[in-house]
Amino acid sequence: IAWSLLLFIAQLVSVIYLPFDGIELVLKIFLSSFSVLIVLNELEWWPALRGSPLFKNFVTRGYFYVFLGLVSTEENNIKPSKVSVVGNLPVDYTAALFIETASWAMVAVGIIYFLSGLCCAQYYINKVREDHSNRLAERKRIFELGMKSEAALSNQMVT
């Protein structure tokens, strides 16, 4: 979630500090919107994303994250016009470094998801979630039975 938020912030920073044309602005808007979708997906707040085949599987999710990171890296690629004069960079180098770092971090997260999917980590996570749901259901059942028995006891004490 954090790296996706940083990628979103990096796109905002690139709009403020970096020179761009119309197509690059459209790419920045797409990257920003995909970053928001990634946050919503990771928090599992939007049911439409939970059922999405792209985000459901770790392998395809990782592939998508790597793609976004590489597009962001390439789209915000700033090269100095003269290699010998570092002071002639057309932008604030700190902003460019932040954007590059956030983009490469997103690539790293994508690679981790991809490799985790290949190593069947998603199967393990699904089992843990299922076990957690079963435990919650069991606690709820025990709590409801306890409330019923307390009500029965208090009725017996009144009469």
Side-chain angles (χ1 to χ4, degrees), residues 3 40 58-60 63 73 91 101 116 135 141 146 150 155:
W3 294 116
L40 291 174
F58 277 9
V59 174
T60 56
Y63 190 79
T73 301
V91 297
T101 303
S116 296
R135 288 180 187 208
R141 189 183 66 76
E150 277 186 29
N155 285 341

Side-chain angles (χ1 to χ4, degrees), residues 10 25 40 45 47 63 77-78 87-88 95 104 119 123 141-142 153 155:
L25 178 63
L40 291 174
W45 282 355
Y63 190 79
N77 198 2
I78 299 296
N88 274 350
W104 283 109
C119 295
Y123 175 76
R141 189 183 66 76
I142 290 171
L153 285 175
N155 285 341

